[in-house]
Amino acid sequence: MRVCLMSTYGVLPIFIALTCVPITSNAEPAAYFIWKSKTSDAQLCAQTSPGEFWEKGNVAFKDPHCEKPKSSDAMPQLPLILVIPPVKVQQ
């Protein structure tokens, strides 16, 4: 038995549910790392690897100067889940 959401709940509750839920993005910039040269004592701060002769440090930073450590204790925001209870349809 197929059940159509529009006939079960009506158009208005579904429209309200889809338009009232805030759409947010939890994206953030990639972390910066201190990259250490395998061939010399050189170091640099970058988001991506400068090449095969560089190894990435363990600490993530949030600025391009590698001065502010990226906080790992920040709790990510979870999306809001809206649950619509079933409604009995009189036939």
Side-chain angles (χ1 to χ4, degrees):
M1 177 175 136
R2 289 186 173 179
V3 176
C4 178
L5 288 176
M6 298 257 220
S7 64
T8 304
Y9 298 113
V11 177
L12 187 60
I14 293 173
F15 176 75
I16 291 171
L18 293 176
T19 56
C20 292
V21 176
I23 299 173
T24 60
S25 173
N26 294 331
E28 59 183 39
Y32 289 88
F33 291 93
I34 294 178
W35 294 85
K36 298 174 185 178
S37 173
K38 294 179 182 178
T39 58
S40 68
D41 292 335
Q43 294 183 353
L44 63 92
C45 183
Q47 289 178 323
T48 58
S49 173
E52 63 181 270
F53 298 106
W54 295 83
E55 56 186 23
K56 184 169 73 169
N58 295 332
V59 180
F61 295 90
K62 59 183 172 181
D63 67 318
H65 304 291
C66 290
E67 295 172 348
K68 301 174 187 171
K70 195 167 190 175
S71 175
S72 61
D73 59 353
M75 183 156 184
Q77 294 179 353
L78 301 175
L80 175 66
I81 299 173
L82 181 63
V83 178
I84 301 174
V87 177
K88 291 186 179 181
V89 178
Q90 297 179 359
Q91 297 179 356

